[in-house]
């Protein structure tokens, strides 16, 4: 079973992902961007303010393809539980928002990015969405370029909402404004329910 954690920067995904490792020591814990050289290429692009948005999408997508073949598919083939801190929905939400603001000329960016994945990706069985307002998210993530960042994260959040509307059965929304121990407890409850199913 493939369970993914999604949400804005600073929504608490890594906190939850680390807590789950104590509960499911035999599961495969993984994340995107990965620590492969593809992930490093993504990191270089993220650090470049002039990075081409379409090129960046394909770097993230290359990292995803390698993540699938190297980590996710083998673990699933062994019947394992895979828990990923970010996965394809991050691309749909973030690059959907980035492309919408760019002059790449792509009319329906979110749908475009989904379409690229449809041919080869492996959709999650369930996705836990840590729901947080953009302002708190930016503060928690320690973003200094707050005004600009807030606007961007608001667009990303809108995209997550569209993804949830399109596939409500897959998403489990968790209120990420609550205290960390409450968020972790709620996520553990959801994962236990999914694994027992
Ligand atoms: N529920 C929470 N309430 C308040 N602060 C939190 C909560 N969850 C995480 N944090 C803090 O917010 C920051 C970002 O958390 P992190 O788990 O790294 O989020 P993400 O992986 O989604 O970016 C960290 O400093 C973390 O300690
Ligand atoms: C996986 C992925 C991440 N991102 C972005 C989200 C984050 O701003 C950044 C790094 O992700 P991450 O290291 O998970 O950051 P955080 O823990 O703060 O959420 O990369 C994309 O834009 N597209 C993607 O496909």
């Amino acid at each position: 079973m493939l369970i993914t954690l999604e949400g804005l920067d600073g929504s608490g995904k890594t906190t939850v992902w680390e807590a789950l490792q104590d509960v499911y020591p035999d599961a495969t814990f993984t994340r995107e961007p990965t620590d492969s050289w593809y992930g490093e290429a993504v990191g270089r692009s993220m650090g470049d303010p002039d990075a081409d948005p379409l090129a960046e999408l394909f770097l993230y997508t290359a990292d995803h393809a390698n993540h699938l073949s190297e980590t996710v598919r083998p673990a699933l083939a062994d019947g394992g539980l895979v828990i990923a801190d970010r996965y394809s929905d991050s691309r749909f939400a973030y690059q959907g928002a980035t492309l919408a603001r760019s002059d790449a000329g792509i009319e329906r960016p979110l749908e475009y990015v989904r379409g690229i994945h449809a041919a080869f990706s492996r959709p999650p069985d369930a996705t836990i969405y840590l729901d947080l307002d953009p302002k708190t998210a930016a503060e928690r993530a320690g973003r200094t370029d707050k005004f600009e960042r807030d606007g961007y994260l608001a667009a990303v959040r809108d995209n997550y909402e569209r993804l949830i509307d399109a596939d409500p059965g897959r998403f489990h929304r968790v209120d990420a404004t609550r205290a960390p121990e409450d968020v972790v407890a709620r996520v553990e409850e959801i994962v236990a329910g999914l694994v027992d199913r």
Side-chain angles (χ1 to χ4, degrees):
M1 171 181 279
L2 171 60
I3 300 176
T4 61
L5 302 172
E6 292 285 354
L8 300 183
D9 306 56
S11 58
K13 296 179 304 303
T14 305
T15 303
V16 161
W17 183 75
E18 284 171 354
L20 287 170
Q21 299 191 21
D22 295 335
V23 187
Y24 299 98
D26 297 331
T28 297
F29 283 86
T30 186
R31 63 190 312 165
E32 292 186 9
T34 70
D35 56 8
S36 71
W37 71 262
Y38 299 97
E40 285 168 19
V42 167
R44 283 184 65 177
S45 184
M46 285 182 345
D48 176 1
D50 298 323
D52 179 85
L54 206 46
E56 191 165 270
L57 162 68
F58 289 114
L59 287 176
Y60 275 115
T61 308
D63 186 42
H64 179 64
N66 182 66
H67 185 211
L68 274 170
S69 60
E70 287 291 312
T71 307
V72 176
R73 286 195 196 278
L76 292 175
D78 286 345
L81 171 65
V82 179
I83 301 185
D85 178 356
R86 294 199 183 279
Y87 193 74
S88 45
D89 292 304
S90 283
R91 224 116 42 244
F92 307 158
Y94 280 78
Q95 274 60 57
T98 306
L99 289 172
R101 297 173 155 221
S102 78
D103 56 6
I106 293 168
E107 262 178 40
R108 289 155 53 90
L110 188 150
E111 289 72 13
Y112 173 71
V113 180
R114 285 185 74 167
I116 290 170
H117 285 67
F120 75 95
S121 190
R122 197 298 192 178
D125 297 299
T127 299
I128 295 169
Y129 176 60
L130 298 183
D131 191 12
L132 190 63
D133 59 280
K135 191 166 179 299
T136 312
E139 281 164 13
R140 279 199 205 160
R143 303 290 178 195
T144 46
D145 49 347
K146 230 165 70 63
F147 188 73
E148 170 59 25
R149 191 72 202 170
D150 278 359
Y152 177 60
L153 289 181
V156 173
R157 194 189 200 200
D158 287 348
N159 280 344
Y160 272 124
E161 290 298 336
R162 290 172 61 196
L163 293 166
I164 294 167
D165 283 350
D167 198 359
R170 172 164 66 88
F171 282 93
H172 300 261
R173 187 193 297 270
V174 171
D175 179 357
T177 62
R178 306 197 46 192
E181 55 273 24
D182 293 347
V183 174
V184 166
R186 180 67 193 121
V187 172
E188 287 180 357
E189 197 174 74
I190 292 168
V191 173
L194 290 164
V195 169
D196 285 351
R197 222 159 42 186

